[in-house]
Amino acid sequence: FPVTIAAILLGVVVGGLLADWSIELSLLVLIGVYLLVCWETPVTILWVCGCVFVVVVVVVVVVVVVGGVFSLDGLSLSVGLAVLRCLREQGVVEAGLKWPNDLLVAGGKIAGVLLELSGDPAGECQVVIGIGVNVNMLPGSRVVIDQPWTSLRECVGHLVDRTALTQALGRWLQHYLSLHAQGGFAALREEWEACHLWQGKEVSLLAGPLRIDGVVLGVDSLGALRLDVAGQERQFSGGELSLRLRNDS
């Protein structure tokens, strides 16, 4: 098998998911072209989009070995659906998606997805999928976080078993990766849009110094964001884009 555990860990670090961590191997499943490896970690420093979160998380790392048939388009959105179904199964029924890779509850971030690609996207390559879920941290901690957040524990009202959560994530990932392998993101587009919290919302899309204001129409079959910009539909995709509600500080 072309992917080693060391390569997986390197991909996670390069992807910016973990800065200080302690891991326990919780689940290892080989499913077709997927090597699915799930870890649970205690207190973790999670680095996302320039912000540091000191959280109690479950980190799931999946390596998808692509041989030219598996579509990478919209893959992070398909993974987001898997995380969402897992959260709702745990009782967080109000959880929803925010394009491209965030999961929110009442405006607070509870989970996120990050992908790292190695190899030739047109041929054989490896995709490292990192998932961070805020599990048991509660408000009132000494951690300073400069954006709204929440946790599974806060939502369901009790301490959450990280091992059970990790296993549930693995099960939902197998399900949605299989669906994505069969029909690409196009087969999941309608389901994703039904779970998108910002459908029809006025938003600002930031790309470096560039700001584009529009109304969210949804996503296309490749996972690109569709915006109504001054009466014209435009599509946007890329890893350096940030989406915010209009006038949201």
Side-chain angles (χ1 to χ4, degrees):
F1 201 81
V3 181
T4 66
I5 296 298
I8 295 171
L9 301 184
L10 177 62
V12 176
V13 174
V14 170
L17 278 176
L18 299 178
D20 181 24
W21 49 311
S22 157
I23 62 173
E24 175 184 346
L25 189 60
S26 172
L27 178 65
L28 175 60
V29 183
L30 183 62
I31 46 173
V33 295
Y34 320 124
L35 175 63
L36 191 156
V37 184
C38 303
W39 288 280
E40 60 170 321
T41 171
V43 178
T44 299
I45 299 176
L46 182 63
W47 176 271
V48 179
C49 298
C51 301
V52 176
F53 297 80
V54 182
V55 295
V56 180
V57 301
V58 165
V59 175
V60 178
V61 179
V62 182
V63 175
V64 181
V65 181
V66 183
V69 178
F70 192 100
S71 172
L72 298 178
D73 295 317
L75 178 59
S76 67
L77 279 69
S78 297
V79 172
L81 273 173
V83 181
L84 177 64
R85 296 307 176 193
C86 178
L87 292 176
R88 290 185 174 179
E89 182 180 74
Q90 302 299 311
V92 190
V93 295
E94 65 273 32
L97 299 163
K98 174 203 162 190
W99 188 90
N101 299 324
D102 290 340
L103 290 96
L104 308 178
V105 176
K109 185 170 181 177
I110 192 172
V113 176
L114 187 64
L115 270 59
E116 187 77 19
L117 177 66
S118 175
D120 179 8
E124 182 173 300
C125 63
Q126 295 81 45
V127 182
V128 179
I129 302 171
I131 300 168
V133 182
N134 190 358
V135 183
N136 283 318
M137 190 166 73
L138 291 175
S141 66
R142 291 176 293 177
V143 179
V144 177
I145 299 176
D146 62 356
Q147 65 175 270
W149 62 272
T150 189
S151 67
L152 263 170
R153 183 178 179 182
E154 183 178 12
C155 291
V156 301
H158 59 77
L159 197 67
V160 176
D161 185 315
R162 296 192 305 273
T163 299
L165 177 64
T166 302
Q167 292 170 341
L169 272 171
R171 175 165 44 82
W172 281 109
L173 279 165
Q174 290 186 50
H175 174 72
Y176 277 97
L177 286 176
S178 295
L179 291 178
H180 188 100
Q182 294 166 18
F185 177 70
L188 298 168
R189 172 186 173 185
E190 184 175 343
E191 180 182 356
W192 194 95
E193 287 187 330
C195 300
H196 190 208
L197 295 171
W198 289 8
Q199 286 289 115
K201 300 289 187 181
E202 294 184 349
V203 298
S204 295
L205 186 68
L206 306 179
L210 182 64
R211 167 175 168 163
I212 302 169
D213 293 334
V215 177
V216 176
L217 299 175
V219 293
D220 67 14
S221 60
L222 301 180
L225 181 69
R226 298 168 52 234
L227 287 185
D228 180 333
V229 180
Q232 293 188 336
E233 180 176 328
R234 296 177 60 183
Q235 289 82 38
F236 301 90
S237 62
E240 301 302 320
L241 300 178
S242 175
L243 188 66
R244 300 181 181 178
L245 290 175
R246 189 84 58 87
N247 301 321
D248 182 6
S249 60

